[in-house]
């Protein structure tokens, strides 16, 4: 993993109010998001962050699984 599990949990926890406030900020510009759309957006961002966190840093999953020789 690129970051610890605790740090990943903190990032996701901080992301929740960010998504809510992003919805509010968009409404200032006349862009209305429903609650469902906000959930989908938040879920997509969380999924992207989790995929980034578990993806091997060098992009070679087989090298990480086999370990050093």
């Amino acid at each position: 993993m690129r970051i610890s599990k605790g740090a990943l949990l903190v990032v996701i926890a901080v992301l929740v109010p960010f998504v809510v406030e992003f919805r509010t900020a968009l409404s200032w510009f006349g862009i209305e998001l429903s609650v469902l759309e906000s959930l989908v957006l938040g879920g997509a961002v969380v999924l992207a962050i989790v995929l980034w966190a578990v993806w091997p840093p060098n992009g070679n999953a087989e090298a990480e699984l086999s370990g050093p020789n």
Side-chain angles (χ1 to χ4, degrees), residues 25 28 32 38 43 48 50:
W28 295 340
E32 297 291 331
S38 297
V50 169

Side-chain angles (χ1 to χ4, degrees), residues 6-8 12 17 21 27-28 36 42 45 47 49-50 54-55 57 63 66:
L8 182 60
I12 292 172
E21 294 302 326
S27 70
W28 295 340
L36 180 61
V45 173
L47 180 63
I49 290 172
V50 169
V54 298
W55 200 265
S66 64

Side-chain angles (χ1 to χ4, degrees), residues 2-3 8 11-12 14-16 18 21 25 27 37 44 46-48 51-53 55 57 64-65 67 69:
R2 294 176 188 238
I3 60 175
L8 182 60
V11 168
I12 292 172
V14 169
L15 188 64
V16 171
F18 178 77
E21 294 302 326
S27 70
E37 291 169 335
V46 167
L47 180 63
L51 286 175
W52 170 82
W55 200 265
E64 185 173 304
L65 293 175
N69 291 330

Side-chain angles (χ1 to χ4, degrees), residues 30-44:
I31 302 171
E32 297 291 331
L33 289 179
S34 69
V35 174
L36 180 61
E37 291 169 335
S38 297
L39 288 173
V40 169
L41 176 66

